[in-house]
Amino acid sequence: MAEFFKRRSVLLLTLFGFACPFIGMALIDFYYYSSLIGWIAGFVCFVLAYIIVIRRPETETGT
């Protein structure tokens, strides 16, 4: 299970980043600032995915 998350972490973070603002907007009746928190959480997910992609070593060899 950990290998699945390790290999798919960028995809999962990106999907979660897209979903966070919508989840935050859906919870606006529960907490007034949930939309803002959702947008911030989505941005953090995108930044984490970007950091993972930048730090990941290249797996392709030169031709």
Side-chain angles (χ1 to χ4, degrees), residues 28-63:
I28 197 74
D29 292 334
F30 178 70
Y31 184 63
Y32 184 72
Y33 294 109
S34 66
S35 179
L36 180 65
I37 292 170
W39 283 99
I40 292 170
F43 178 75
V44 168
C45 288
F46 282 124
V47 168
L48 288 175
Y50 180 72
I51 290 171
I52 290 171
V53 167
I54 292 299
R55 293 188 181 247
R56 184 175 288 173
E58 291 291 328
T59 57
E60 297 178 353
T61 58
T63 56

Side-chain angles (χ1 to χ4, degrees), residues 10-21:
V10 173
L11 176 66
L12 292 173
L13 280 171
T14 305
L15 291 175
F16 194 63
F18 278 122
C20 278

